[in-house]
Amino acid sequence: MRLWWCICVCVAAAVEAQRNAATRLGLVGPELGLPPVLGNPQGTPTGVDSIVGCVCLPRNQVCPEVGAFPISPPTTTRPPQTGGGNFGAGKIDVRIVNLPSAGACPGQKLCCPDGSVPSGPGQVGRPNPVIPNPVQINSGACGIQNPHPIPGRVPNFAEADFGEYPWMAVVLDLDDNYKGGGALISENWVLTAAHKVANERNLKVRLGDYDVTTAQDHPTLRHVDIPVSNVIIHPQFKSDTLQNDVGLLRLRNPVNTRQYPHIGTVCLPQQDQIFDGDNHCWVTGYGKDAFDSTAQFQHILKEVDVPMVDSIVCQHRLRNTRLGQDFLLDRRSFVCAGGIAGKDACTGDGGAPLVCRPEGGGWTVVGLVAWGIGCASSEVPGVYVSVPAFANFIRQHVRD
């Protein structure tokens, strides 16, 4: 079974008849070279909230300008897979979605096309002008965000700022064909999902990219491509259930994060460190926007916030899906996040990082996009590779 993964962004119509419909903005296509990939060339918001034309955005983003709120028709989900296995073999969907619930933007802000300011906490109207921040040099510490706005450009719905997630890595073959997402964890190593690279050897990693259709996003900052000299796959990786889905890519040449202000490392967790629903967590990446043949590729880095879900609660909720009541969640291999309608990881981009920020610490990679059942359904969490469970294994191989 060939697995494809993604992170995509959804919005839904506010009217009752359309409340369950979703249009997804995807995160990564199968090819990330420099001709342009297919997809929405504008990267514009595509949905509404309870006030027709409004959209929910992360609080750290700027509302789109008036007139940038087109509405697209809903997409459909992929038919269920068949198969068996207590750990979900043959039944899991290979997989960001950000769909506001009607009338509210929990944890986010509401932007409206007419510049109005709806009532209610966390809801905002037309933004103030963006003032670009000066480019700063990274300190070398992990988990540091230092966005570098592109002059004259305001991020659209659910788009990250340039350099906002400096650890985001794109894994390519030597012909620039896309293989998966990943996270820079040291100057020599990228962490990714094993199922994206288990059968690959001629690879390279792209760091500091933002819009994959352009040769240079920022006037003074370019992305860099570094060949991979070694691929390490967890010895107990299982391709049918994605247990132990950990891959490590050694870079042929170390990247100097002090030299590149838009490139930096994410922190590794401690072994078996717990991240609960109180943690503020985000998924980033590129990918297709739906399961079916109408899916479109996207080209600008996207982001969505998701809450962590307790593993026992996650198993219970997954048993109410086609996995059945005998399904067993491998709590060593996986962590869960999401379960809020419209917020999820979807088909197309395995290996993309889920990061949380512990109190008093830097942004930490907690999971890697793994699998799920459908996409963005209420009470159905997404399943991610548990990085804390494999922290010792990772550190044993990245000490140099």
Side-chain angles (χ1 to χ4, degrees), residues 12-21 47-53 71 100-103:
V15 293
E16 186 66 28
Q18 295 177 311
R19 186 168 292 174
N20 295 323
V48 299
D49 201 71
S50 59
I51 302 176
V52 175
I71 301 174
S101 59

Side-chain angles (χ1 to χ4, degrees), residues 106-194:
Q108 296 189 312
K109 64 184 182 184
L110 181 64
C111 297
C112 294
D114 60 359
S116 63
V117 182
S119 61
Q123 299 180 353
V124 302
R126 192 171 182 177
N128 294 322
V130 174
I131 301 175
N133 295 326
V135 173
Q136 302 176 21
I137 299 300
N138 287 333
S139 65
C142 66
I144 303 299
Q145 284 186 314
N146 180 28
H148 313 289
I150 300 173
R153 187 184 190 282
V154 177
N156 287 311
F157 176 56
E159 292 175 354
D161 277 315
F162 175 79
E164 186 175 4
Y165 298 91
W167 47 81
M168 184 68 204
V170 178
V171 183
L172 308 167
D173 67 18
L174 299 184
D175 294 320
D176 285 336
N177 295 310
Y178 170 72
K179 296 300 177 181
L184 184 69
I185 57 173
S186 79
E187 293 187 343
N188 294 292
W189 291 91
V190 166
L191 175 65
T192 187

Side-chain angles (χ1 to χ4, degrees), residues 60-377:
N60 65 337
Q61 291 192 4
V62 178
C63 293
E65 294 294 332
V66 172
F69 290 77
I71 301 174
S72 300
T75 59
T76 58
T77 57
R78 190 174 70 178
Q81 300 179 12
T82 59
N86 287 340
F87 291 99
K91 294 183 179 180
I92 60 180
D93 282 332
V94 291
R95 325 221 3 115
I96 287 175
V97 176
N98 194 3
L99 168 64
S101 59
C105 291
Q108 296 189 312
K109 64 184 182 184
L110 181 64
C111 297
C112 294
D114 60 359
S116 63
V117 182
S119 61
Q123 299 180 353
V124 302
R126 192 171 182 177
N128 294 322
V130 174
I131 301 175
N133 295 326
V135 173
Q136 302 176 21
I137 299 300
N138 287 333
S139 65
C142 66
I144 303 299
Q145 284 186 314
N146 180 28
H148 313 289
I150 300 173
R153 187 184 190 282
V154 177
N156 287 311
F157 176 56
E159 292 175 354
D161 277 315
F162 175 79
E164 186 175 4
Y165 298 91
W167 47 81
M168 184 68 204
V170 178
V171 183
L172 308 167
D173 67 18
L174 299 184
D175 294 320
D176 285 336
N177 295 310
Y178 170 72
K179 296 300 177 181
L184 184 69
I185 57 173
S186 79
E187 293 187 343
N188 294 292
W189 291 91
V190 166
L191 175 65
T192 187
H195 76 269
K196 302 303 295 186
V197 297
N199 298 316
E200 303 287 344
R201 289 300 178 267
N202 297 317
L203 297 171
K204 65 180 179 179
V205 168
R206 179 168 294 174
L207 300 168
D209 208 351
Y210 180 68
D211 183 341
V212 299
T213 66
T214 61
Q216 183 169 340
D217 301 306
H218 193 279
T220 61
L221 302 173
R222 300 177 63 92
H223 64 254
V224 296
D225 288 357
I226 305 175
V228 173
S229 62
N230 190 23
V231 179
I232 297 176
I233 304 298
H234 194 283
Q236 277 79 53
F237 167 60
K238 297 182 179 180
S239 60
D240 56 348
T241 60
L242 301 189
Q243 292 167 285
N244 309 302
D245 191 15
V246 178
L248 289 166
L249 306 178
R250 181 182 174 86
L251 304 181
R252 183 176 298 174
N253 305 305
V255 57
N256 186 348
T257 57
R258 292 177 176 86
Q259 176 184 353
Y260 301 105
H262 60 309
I263 299 173
T265 59
V266 68
C267 300
L268 280 174
Q270 297 301 312
Q271 180 68 29
D272 298 323
Q273 185 174 350
I274 296 175
F275 294 83
D276 58 27
D278 292 333
N279 289 113
H280 187 60
C281 304
W282 293 83
V283 189
T284 55
Y286 304 86
K288 275 189 173 182
D289 60 357
F291 288 119
D292 62 20
S293 59
T294 67
Q296 294 181 328
F297 300 134
Q298 300 296 301
H299 51 85
I300 294 177
L301 184 66
K302 301 297 196 300
E303 62 176 11
V304 67
D305 60 314
V306 288
M308 301 301 297
V309 177
D310 177 80
S311 59
I312 296 177
V313 174
C314 182
Q315 177 176 273
H316 172 75
R317 292 178 179 175
L318 291 174
R319 283 179 172 181
N320 292 327
T321 70
R322 65 172 178 266
L323 294 174
Q325 294 300 310
D326 62 344
F327 170 73
L328 297 175
L329 178 68
D330 185 341
R331 299 174 192 171
R332 179 180 181 276
S333 288
F334 303 117
V335 293
C336 300
I340 298 175
K343 293 179 178 288
D344 202 354
C346 295
T347 187
D349 190 33
L354 167 69
V355 298
C356 305
R357 189 174 187 178
E359 185 175 355
W363 287 96
T364 301
V365 57
V366 176
L368 305 170
V369 174
W371 60 270
I373 300 299
C375 181
S377 298

